[in-house]
Amino acid sequence: MTDCKTAHTMLMRCWQFVTVAVALLATGTSQATDVTAPVEAPLVVGNRTIHVFRATLGAFTPSDRADAARQRIDRAFDEGGEGWTSVKASDSGVLIELDGKPMFTVAPGDARAAAGETTADLANQASRLLQKAWRESRERRDMRAVWAAAGRTALAAAVLVVALLLIWRVVRVLRRAMTARLASGLKGLAVAGDSRRLSALFISSVSRTFLLLAWILSLFAVFAFLTYGLEQFVLTRPMGESLLQSFSALALQAVNSIGASLPGVFIAAIVFLVAWIATQISTEFFAHVGAGKSSFGMLDAHTAPSTRRIVNAALWLFALAMAYPYLPGAQTEAFKGLTVILGLMVSIGASGVIGQIASGVMLVYTRALSVGEYVRIQDCEGTVTELGLFVTRLRTGMGEEIALPNSVVLANVTRNFSRVAPGTGFVLDTTITIGYDVAWRQVHAMLLEAAKTIPEIGAQPEPYVVQTALSDFYVAYKLVVYVSADRPAARARVTSDLYAAIQDTFNKYGVQIMSPNYFEDPEKPKIVPESEWFAAPAKRTDNR
């Protein structure tokens, strides 16, 4: 029995040594950074810090006082007793006694005046902790108490499993019932398009909110189990108490932070509300200008949409700059570091974006393009459907849409076919090559006759033909017409119909259309007789 007691005492002293070493290492960093900081020596008994010595009494340093107190307390614990603690005033401070025997003295120098500590408060706290350590030393030697703690922990683990299963089952039932009810309620409403997608997004958000609630409740249950389980055993009880205190302190700090940030949030909300009202007024004003009801110099229906985007973006940026100091956590180093990193990312990666925006603004204010105009940029030809901040979109009318970066549009020559005549139409031209053996007056007449067969080709401005080249083997003729179609698909169809009408007209009069690679006359003209215009599988239509 004596050997077991001796081994237990040695193990406890090893544990105390390790605890003291860890505490000393933890305080070593602060001591290294601040040479004027006092030397601290914690008194650790049974994995619990009873008191921290800071003052020197006579020839005894804080470390000497802590070692001497630890030895007296270990002898007192081994001798037994009732475990009653008391405090008694002395010349050097407040004396802590255990069963009438002096254990250590709390000196006035041990109290940190800057933290509001007093010698009496430290002595009373040390007395309570010493009494708790005495009880725990008895509990540590009682195997029945250890087995009882293990049983309570196992029962808590079973309760945890049941609680987790119950939480997830209840949340799953509530989630299904709520989403089904929302889906049936929204199904009865007349929703379509964006509203239908927003409804699906709302249902998905509600479903994921229930999942988040289940995870939060599960984490709280696990935390409660860990705290309860750690507090059942003597060696881990201080850890459980520290865990609960840390969580309580964090929760209290969070509540205080929320309360302290409410005035700033209120000011930020007012700033953003004013910015929202200003953007609404700006949107209505530019919509009025965009409708053509008024104009102010360069600000007209053409420049109003892009100007609205620039003004609204400037208003929101100004509001963000004004509300930034009032946002929660804006003054913390982490928030400042995050904003610096985001600023660097934007500065490094947004050079191309800023160039595209600048190009878009220049295209708008130079009036090079307008929505609805028919243009050709490089090899791309179509109707302008959007002049965005980043890209210009063209629709060809053949089932495709072309997105050109604004910098590409600005850097290349743009041929605009919608500026010659007023209205929503455009100018269409086509070039053919005919040999020198055909009279140019006949070619002009045939081209104009082909143009008259297309209903969408307007009589005003009148179609006309110009000769653009006298090459070695052929003459180049260009037919220029004005098309009144305004839709991309109609424009593509009119172009195709004009090409077909030119082929029919030239075949009708027996004139061969030459290609640029023509070198000599064939034995027979390359034409299609009118009798073969509707050869199988072609079928005659009402207008052709």
Side-chain angles (χ1 to χ4, degrees):
M1 182 69 179
T2 304
D3 295 339
C4 294
K5 183 176 181 180
T6 303
H8 181 268
T9 302
M10 293 179 64
L11 288 175
M12 289 304 301
R13 290 183 176 179
C14 290
W15 173 256
Q16 293 169 1
F17 175 77
V18 172
T19 306
V20 172
V22 171
L24 290 175
L25 288 175
T27 59
T29 303
S30 61
Q31 294 173 1
T33 56
D34 188 0
V35 295
T36 62
V39 178
E40 296 183 352
L43 172 61
V44 181
V45 177
N47 200 26
R48 187 181 293 279
T49 302
I50 305 299
H51 179 64
V52 178
F53 296 97
R54 299 183 179 89
T56 300
L57 291 180
F60 297 100
T61 63
S63 298
D64 296 336
R65 295 173 60 196
D67 294 337
R70 190 178 302 108
Q71 293 175 6
R72 287 191 289 268
I73 291 172
D74 290 341
R75 286 196 299 269
F77 283 3
D78 293 338
E79 293 174 359
E82 298 297 330
W84 294 103
T85 59
S86 59
V87 295
K88 182 184 297 184
S90 64
D91 296 338
S92 57
V94 180
L95 181 63
I96 307 299
E97 295 181 345
L98 177 62
D99 291 331
K101 299 177 181 179
M103 296 291 107
F104 59 91
T105 300
V106 178
D110 294 338
R112 294 174 296 182
E117 297 177 348
T118 62
T119 307
D121 293 338
L122 289 180
N124 291 327
Q125 181 181 0
S127 176
R128 291 192 297 269
L129 291 175
L130 181 59
Q131 190 176 46
K132 183 179 293 186
W134 186 90
R135 290 196 302 268
E136 289 176 348
S137 68
R138 293 294 181 268
E139 182 180 349
R140 191 182 303 111
R141 300 172 184 178
D142 188 0
M143 294 303 299
R144 289 178 298 179
V146 174
W147 283 110
R152 290 192 297 269
T153 305
L155 180 61
V159 173
L160 173 65
V161 173
V162 174
L164 292 176
L165 293 176
L166 184 62
I167 288 172
W168 283 95
R169 183 177 295 275
V170 171
V171 169
R172 187 182 298 111
V173 172
L174 291 176
R175 175 190 175 194
R176 291 178 179 175
M178 183 62 68
T179 53
R181 185 171 183 178
L182 287 174
S184 60
L186 293 174
K187 187 177 181 180
L189 300 176
V191 295
D194 293 338
S195 300
R196 188 182 301 276
R197 288 190 289 268
L198 290 176
S199 301
L201 180 61
F202 177 70
I203 294 175
S204 177
S205 300
V206 172
S207 175
R208 295 182 185 278
T209 302
F210 276 99
L211 290 178
L212 178 61
L213 177 63
W215 277 108
I216 292 176
L217 294 177
S218 300
L219 290 176
F220 270 113
V222 172
F223 176 80
F225 166 74
L226 288 176
T227 305
Y228 179 81
L230 290 174
E231 290 181 349
Q232 300 308 306
F233 300 93
V234 175
L235 293 177
T236 58
R237 187 170 299 158
M239 187 183 303
E241 294 174 355
S242 176
L243 184 63
L244 183 59
Q245 292 175 359
S246 300
F247 181 79
S248 301
L250 287 175
L252 182 61
Q253 182 181 1
V255 172
N256 292 334
S257 299
I258 293 174
S261 63
L262 286 179
V265 172
F266 179 74
I267 297 298
I270 291 178
V271 172
F272 286 123
L273 180 61
V274 172
W276 178 75
I277 294 175
T279 54
Q280 294 299 311
I281 296 173
S282 169
T283 301
E284 293 179 2
F285 171 75
F286 287 110
H288 180 78
V289 176
K293 297 179 181 178
S294 60
S295 62
F296 304 91
M298 293 186 63
L299 183 62
D300 53 14
H302 175 69
T303 58
S306 297
T307 308
R308 175 184 58 82
R309 298 189 188 101
I310 295 173
V311 171
N312 288 351
L315 287 173
W316 282 115
L317 289 175
F318 180 76
L320 181 61
M322 294 295 295
Y324 176 84
Y326 302 99
L327 295 178
Q331 306 303 325
T332 61
E333 297 299 328
F335 199 95
K336 294 177 181 178
L338 180 61
T339 54
V340 170
I341 292 175
L342 291 176
L344 288 175
M345 293 173 60
V346 172
S347 300
I348 295 173
S351 58
V353 175
I354 299 300
Q356 296 294 344
I357 295 176
S359 299
V361 171
M362 292 180 65
L363 288 175
V364 170
Y365 286 98
T366 57
R367 306 176 186 272
L369 301 174
S370 295
V371 175
E373 292 182 340
Y374 193 78
V375 298
R376 179 183 299 163
I377 304 170
Q378 286 186 331
D379 297 332
C380 304
E381 184 175 318
T383 303
V384 179
T385 58
E386 179 185 352
L387 280 175
L389 290 177
F390 302 101
V391 296
T392 298
R393 300 185 186 277
L394 306 181
R395 186 164 296 168
T396 63
M398 292 182 287
E400 61 182 6
E401 185 179 75
I402 303 173
L404 298 173
N406 287 334
S407 58
V408 174
V409 178
L410 190 64
N412 288 275
V413 176
T414 300
R415 298 183 62 188
N416 196 321
F417 300 102
S418 300
R419 296 286 178 89
V420 176
T424 59
F426 69 102
V427 172
L428 174 64
D429 63 79
T430 181
T431 301
I432 62 173
T433 55
I434 307 297
Y436 284 98
D437 56 340
V438 180
W440 64 267
R441 295 177 180 83
Q442 182 185 13
V443 175
H444 285 209
M446 288 188 294
L447 289 174
L448 295 176
E449 181 179 333
K452 293 179 181 179
T453 61
I454 309 301
E456 290 82 0
I457 294 179
Q460 295 294 331
E462 295 183 359
Y464 62 93
V465 180
V466 294
Q467 297 174 209
T468 59
L470 297 176
S471 300
D472 294 337
F473 306 101
Y474 53 80
V475 180
Y477 300 88
K478 176 179 288 188
L479 172 63
V480 181
V481 298
Y482 179 77
V483 182
S484 59
D486 57 350
R487 293 180 293 105
R491 291 173 174 176
R493 181 180 55 79
V494 169
T495 303
S496 176
D497 292 345
L498 178 60
Y499 293 158
I502 292 174
Q503 293 180 64
D504 287 346
T505 302
F506 277 69
N507 286 328
K508 177 180 178 181
Y509 291 101
V511 177
Q512 178 179 347
I513 299 176
M514 317 299 294
S515 67
N517 296 324
Y518 165 74
F519 291 105
E520 59 182 359
D521 292 326
E523 295 182 0
K524 294 183 179 180
K526 301 293 184 179
I527 60 175
V528 179
E530 187 174 357
S531 59
E532 299 180 6
W533 286 3
F534 299 97
K539 297 180 180 179
R540 183 181 296 274
T541 58
D542 296 338
N543 56 347
R544 305 297 297 276

